[in-house]
Amino acid sequence: PAGEQTTGCVCCTGWAGDLAWLRSRRNLALFVSIFTGGLLTLLFIIADGFAGCAAALLVCSAFFGGVATFTPVVCADLVGSQRMSKTWGLLLFGQGFSVVVSPLVIGALKDWSGTWQSGLGFIGAAILVASGLQLVLYLWTKYDLFPIAASEM
């Protein structure tokens, strides 16, 4: 059921992302999705049994559906259509790198601690760090903290 939940959330957030009131806040919506997903991932540590893990998975998949929808849109908003392909390629490279490295780190944490909960804590903490970076990016673009000359872009 998690796949259907994520797909439904992708459709809903994709539709909502084009609404006028959300169009100007897509960067913030991406931050909220990442942050909430990170907090919910940490719930897996305390989820006990199949029912707790299934409930946490369903709720997490809804928020990660928002991340899947808003990431390319915010990326295009930030860099423009001219640089979207290079930027998207670098973003996917980073995601692929984390897919290769994360199991090694999580396996080492499991071997060290004897439980998978340390690995889940690592995943949740990494997602929260990513949400912090997204918040910095949101504040940077909203308040134009570090203006970049048009010739540099």
Side-chain angles (χ1 to χ4, degrees):
E4 291 84 3
Q5 176 102 2
T6 302
T7 303
C9 188
V10 165
C11 293
C12 290
T13 53
W15 168 79
D18 277 339
L19 298 176
W21 62 272
L22 188 58
R23 193 173 300 129
S24 62
R25 297 173 184 90
R26 288 190 283 223
N27 206 334
L28 183 61
L30 181 60
F31 159 72
V32 170
S33 293
I34 296 172
F35 182 76
T36 307
L39 288 178
L40 291 173
T41 302
L42 291 175
L43 285 179
F44 281 115
I45 295 172
I46 60 172
D48 191 24
F50 176 77
C53 285
L57 178 65
L58 287 174
V59 175
C60 274
S61 65
F63 287 99
F64 286 121
V67 172
T69 302
F70 287 121
T71 301
V73 175
V74 168
C75 187
D77 288 346
L78 290 173
V79 299
S81 60
Q82 296 293 328
R83 293 202 166 133
M84 179 61 184
S85 61
K86 279 186 185 177
T87 306
W88 191 246
L90 288 172
L91 186 118
L92 291 179
F93 173 77
Q95 288 178 353
F97 181 76
S98 70
V99 166
V100 171
V101 172
S102 292
L104 300 173
V105 173
I106 292 167
L109 286 171
K110 197 260 184 209
D111 290 343
W112 176 70
S113 68
T115 179
W116 288 108
Q117 290 171 331
S118 59
L120 291 171
F122 169 75
I123 294 169
I127 294 171
L128 290 177
V129 167
S131 73
L133 294 173
Q134 181 61 38
L135 179 62
V136 168
L137 185 62
Y138 167 71
L139 294 173
W140 183 343
T141 56
K142 180 171 177 66
Y143 297 109
D144 202 20
L145 297 178
F146 303 102
I148 299 172
S151 62
E152 293 177 32
M153 296 182 75

